């Protein structure tokens, strides 16, 4: 479904992504992990063109994401993206946050959008917060709204860029459980995270990145018990301490 | 000391209107109002040009702003009043010359206020909106400007106060605004310059002070309403670091 082939990115002299070639199949949950600065966030941001690439291709169902003629807005409407900082629109109520893009981009009527938004809020456990403003919610609640906002576009794939890293520890669980239920429903997901428990329990595949390259791509069982690459071994053993 | 006001208060307030041209404080306020109404949309347009990823617009608007801010207002007035008729062969009324100059001059300052307000928003707001598939225009109109304009309201009104004072420069090209009216009164009385110009200063002060108080009131209201938002945003920013 998502196919990356020989993707390279440079920030000036810095080679941020090095020949990244990988694939995410429909219904698969891929966790991207690795030390800070290894290029995980950069990689996931290239997939909806928040970052440009120097060379290579990224395809979503055979659509070339970085193709010059590709309509970027149409493309992004099909890729859900959840940010570390939630990035809810603070001047709108929760339900307006969710309804905005479906109405403006998909052309849904207000009634249609609100009905769907209400269902999504129910799904993330925040049915009673529809009229609250983001500032009145906890971090975990805000992130769940952000997930609902992305889901409202009915994207075939969801990208998560460290969705729990900005949360207090006691709020991580509520966000992860929403993500788990998404995975269980068969959503195709790619998730940059340091939550190794989530990786182990939910993912089908773990990509380990360092210095801009994917060093290892394996199923979680193999990755956590006998990683092949030396740096992955170090990473795993550091986690245990 | 202020007995000259018995005969001249009316002239100071509205000039010789309705038997002659409007002048005095009324014209000063009218000039300020027209100036603001025209300068604001122009300033907004310039601000958008300054940040848009199109080099021609960015550079030309930048040059305009730097030229306007690098030249004394009185120079600009002379140019539009004396030079423009020379170049075009068309007479320009003093009122038109003053309005156009004030608008261009104020727009340059407003542009920078608006640009700063837009750029002060977290980058995540733009990214979140774009990643939902909304266009640059929709993002500006629905997400960025509603937030930025609220936060910059105090600075915008501060610029309005500056504009009120700037209209006094109309005196040099004989626009019948407040300062010009005061000078006319002084010329006819000859003996009471202190009283006349003290009154003049007092009128400007009362107008500008009331406006400033209005700004302060507004600022307090915004802070009270938005304090929660601000606090949350700061918390979010801290946790990135």
């Amino acid at each position: 479904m998502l196919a990356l082939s020989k993707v390279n990115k440079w920030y000036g002299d810095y080679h941020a992504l090095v020949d990244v070639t990988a694939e995410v199949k429909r219904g698969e949950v891929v966790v991207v992990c690795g030390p800070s600065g290894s290029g995980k966030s950069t990689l996931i941001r290239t997939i909806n063109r928040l970052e440009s690439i120097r060379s290579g291709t990224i395809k979503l169902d055979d659509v070339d994401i970085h193709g010059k003629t590709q309509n970027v807005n149409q493309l992004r409407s099909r890729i859900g993206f959840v940010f570390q900082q939630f990035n809810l629109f603070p001047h709108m109520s929760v339900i307006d946050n969710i309804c905005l893009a479906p109405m403006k981009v998909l052309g849904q009527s207000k009634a249609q959008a609100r009905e769907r938004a209400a269902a999504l809020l129910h799904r993330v456990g925040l049915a009673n917060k529809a009229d609250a403003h983001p500032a009145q919610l906890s971090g975990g609640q805000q992130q769940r709204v952000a997930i609902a906002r992305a889901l409202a576009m009915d994207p075939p794939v969801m990208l998560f860029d460290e969705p729990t890293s900005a949360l207090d520890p006691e709020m991580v669980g509520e966000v992860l459980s929403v993500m788990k239920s998404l995975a269980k429903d068969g959503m195709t997901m790619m998730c940059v995270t340091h939550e190794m428990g989530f990786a182990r329990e939910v993912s089908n595949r773990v990509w380990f990145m360092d210095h801009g390259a994917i060093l290892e791509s394996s199923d979680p069982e193999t990755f956590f018990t006998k990683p092949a690459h030396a740096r992955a071994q170090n990473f795993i053993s550091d986690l245990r301490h | 000391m202020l007995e000259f006001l018995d005969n001249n208060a009316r002239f100071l307030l509205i000039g010789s209107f309705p038997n002659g041209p409007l002048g005095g404080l009324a014209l000063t306020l009218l000039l300020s109002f027209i100036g603001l109404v025209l300068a604001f949309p122009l300033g907004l347009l310039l601000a958008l040009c300054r940040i848009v990823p199109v080099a021609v617009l960015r550079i030309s608007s930048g040059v305009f702003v730097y030229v306007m801010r690098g030249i004394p207002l009185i120079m600009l007035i002379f140019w539009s009043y004396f030079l423009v008729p020379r170049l075009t062969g068309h007479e320009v009324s003093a009122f038109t010359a003053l309005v156009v100059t004030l608008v261009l001059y104020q727009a340059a300052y407003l542009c920078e206020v608006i640009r700063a307000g837009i750029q002060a928003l977290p980058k995540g707001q733009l990214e979140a909106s774009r990643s939902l598939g909304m266009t640059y225009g929709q993002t500006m109109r629905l997400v960025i400007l509603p937030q930025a304009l609220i936060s910059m309201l105090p600075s915008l009104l501060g610029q309005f106060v500056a504009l009120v004072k700037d209209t006094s420069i109309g005196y040099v090209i004989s626009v019948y605004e407040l300062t010009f009216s005061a000078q006319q009164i002084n010329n006819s009385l000859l003996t009471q310059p202190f009283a006349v110009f003290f009154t003049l200063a007092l009128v400007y002060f009362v107008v500008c002070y009331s406006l400033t108080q209005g700004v302060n009131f507004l600022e307090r209201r915004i802070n009270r309403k938005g304090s929660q938002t601000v606090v949350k945003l700061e918390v979010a920013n801290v946790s990135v670091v």
Side-chain angles (χ1 to χ4, degrees):
Chain A
M1 172 166 212
L2 255 180
L4 296 88
S5 168
K6 293 211 166 281
V7 174
N8 280 281
K9 177 170 181 70
W10 295 76
Y11 288 114
D13 289 340
Y14 181 68
H15 202 169
L17 293 177
V18 184
D19 276 335
V20 175
T21 300
E23 192 188 2
V24 183
K25 296 198 179 72
R26 192 172 303 277
E28 218 175 24
V29 177
V30 171
V31 162
V32 187
C33 64
S36 335
S38 58
K40 310 178 298 282
S41 284
T42 306
L43 179 68
I44 203 166
R45 286 164 61 88
T46 61
I47 293 175
N48 74 345
R49 256 170 78 169
L50 283 176
E51 301 284 349
S52 62
I53 58 176
R54 166 83 60 92
S55 66
T57 56
I58 304 176
K59 286 186 169 178
L60 173 65
D61 289 336
D62 291 327
V63 174
D64 183 1
I65 290 176
H66 288 264
K68 285 214 163 49
T69 54
Q70 180 56 44
N71 179 335
V72 67
N73 300 317
Q74 195 207 352
L75 180 97
R76 285 179 176 147
S77 71
R78 295 179 52 218
I79 302 175
F81 200 102
V82 175
F83 296 84
Q84 182 179 6
Q85 296 301 327
F86 338 131
N87 295 338
L88 294 181
F89 308 132
H91 59 303
M92 293 179 189
S93 68
V94 162
I95 194 135
D96 288 342
N97 263 277
I98 300 175
C99 291
L100 184 67
M103 287 165 64
K104 297 294 169 185
V105 179
L106 303 178
Q108 291 181 6
S109 71
K110 189 167 181 181
Q112 233 177 338
R114 287 184 83 91
E115 193 187 321
R116 173 92 172 109
L120 285 167
L121 277 176
H122 183 74
R123 174 169 188 177
V124 299
L126 293 170
N128 58 340
K129 296 290 185 189
D131 297 315
H133 272 70
Q136 298 163 318
L137 303 181
S138 71
Q141 291 171 328
Q142 290 192 54
Q143 191 62 297
R144 285 186 280 156
V145 173
I147 294 174
R149 180 174 68 176
L151 288 174
M153 300 297 286
D154 276 322
V157 54
M158 288 279 286
L159 309 178
F160 296 84
D161 186 7
E162 303 207 22
T164 56
S165 302
L167 297 175
D168 293 339
E170 72 267 25
M171 291 169 186
V172 170
E174 61 191 68
V175 172
L176 289 182
S177 83
V178 167
M179 292 169 62
K180 278 178 202 166
S181 90
L182 269 180
K184 225 169 76 190
D185 291 354
M187 174 63 82
T188 308
M189 290 163 57
M190 184 170 161
C191 180
V192 173
T193 186
H194 298 294
E195 294 295 330
M196 290 303 123
F198 176 82
R200 197 158 191 169
E201 193 184 331
V202 180
S203 76
N204 306 106
R205 192 149 280 277
V206 177
W207 296 352
F208 176 77
M209 288 187 76
D210 200 9
H211 297 296
I214 297 183
L215 297 184
E216 178 152 354
S217 162
S218 44
D219 61 88
E221 188 53 32
T222 313
F223 180 75
F224 286 108
T225 52
K226 37 183 189 304
H229 202 284
R231 253 179 292 183
Q233 285 163 9
N234 277 339
F235 183 75
I236 298 289
S237 75
D238 283 349
L239 285 177
R240 295 212 183 92
H241 300 136
Chain B
M1 162 189 121
L2 293 177
E3 67 260 28
F4 83 96
L5 277 178
D6 292 344
N7 302 320
N8 295 299
R10 190 186 159 89
F11 186 72
L12 211 52
L13 288 178
I14 58 171
S16 35
F17 191 80
N19 305 316
L22 186 69
L25 179 62
L27 190 67
T28 287
L29 292 178
L30 183 69
L31 277 165
S32 310
F33 182 73
I34 297 177
L36 183 77
V37 166
L38 297 177
F40 179 72
L42 184 61
L44 180 60
L45 187 71
L46 281 169
L48 292 175
C49 288
R50 289 270 280 152
I51 55 172
V52 90
V54 179
V56 185
L57 292 176
R58 224 176 35 235
I59 293 168
S60 51
S61 57
V63 168
F64 175 82
V65 168
Y66 281 112
V67 169
M68 282 293 154
R69 301 207 310 170
I71 291 178
L73 179 56
I74 197 158
M75 283 286 309
L76 293 169
I77 298 270
F78 285 151
W79 279 8
S80 57
Y81 191 55
F82 297 115
L83 199 64
V84 170
R86 267 292 160 86
L87 295 176
T88 62
H90 292 285
E91 199 64 22
V92 178
S93 80
F95 182 82
T96 312
L98 180 60
V99 167
V100 170
T101 311
L102 284 177
V103 166
L104 295 179
Y105 187 76
Q106 275 297 321
Y109 280 88
L110 286 175
C111 162
E112 293 301 273
V113 170
I114 296 171
R115 183 174 67 96
I118 292 174
Q119 290 180 333
L121 285 182
K123 199 164 146 242
Q125 289 292 310
L126 178 80
E127 290 183 346
S129 174
R130 294 306 305 273
S131 76
L132 287 163
M134 298 217 282
T135 63
Y136 184 80
Q138 285 174 326
T139 299
M140 276 295 154
R141 194 161 45 84
L142 301 165
V143 175
I144 304 295
L145 287 177
Q147 296 181 59
L149 289 176
I150 292 281
S151 66
M152 68 179 84
L153 213 51
S155 338
L156 288 177
L157 289 169
Q159 280 296 314
F160 185 56
V161 172
L163 177 61
V164 172
K165 292 186 289 182
D166 284 347
T167 58
S168 65
I169 213 152
Y171 165 74
V172 300
I173 53 171
S174 309
V175 176
Y176 302 146
E177 45 70 54
L178 185 59
T179 305
F180 189 82
S181 306
Q183 174 64 13
Q184 276 189 310
I185 294 170
N186 185 49
N187 284 346
S188 66
L189 296 175
L190 287 174
T191 53
Q192 302 177 38
F194 178 76
V196 171
F197 290 113
F198 180 78
T199 310
L200 175 65
L202 194 67
V203 174
Y204 275 115
F205 180 79
V206 167
V207 171
C208 294
Y209 183 74
S210 325
L211 281 170
T212 314
Q213 286 308 104
V215 173
N216 290 343
F217 172 73
L218 220 82
E219 210 163 354
R220 276 197 303 275
R221 276 201 55 157
I222 291 172
N223 283 343
R224 211 171 40 232
K225 255 175 125 178
S227 58
Q228 272 184 309
T229 321
V230 174
V231 170
K232 285 271 176 181
L233 284 175
E234 277 168 4
V235 168
N237 286 337
V238 167
S239 43
V240 194
V241 185

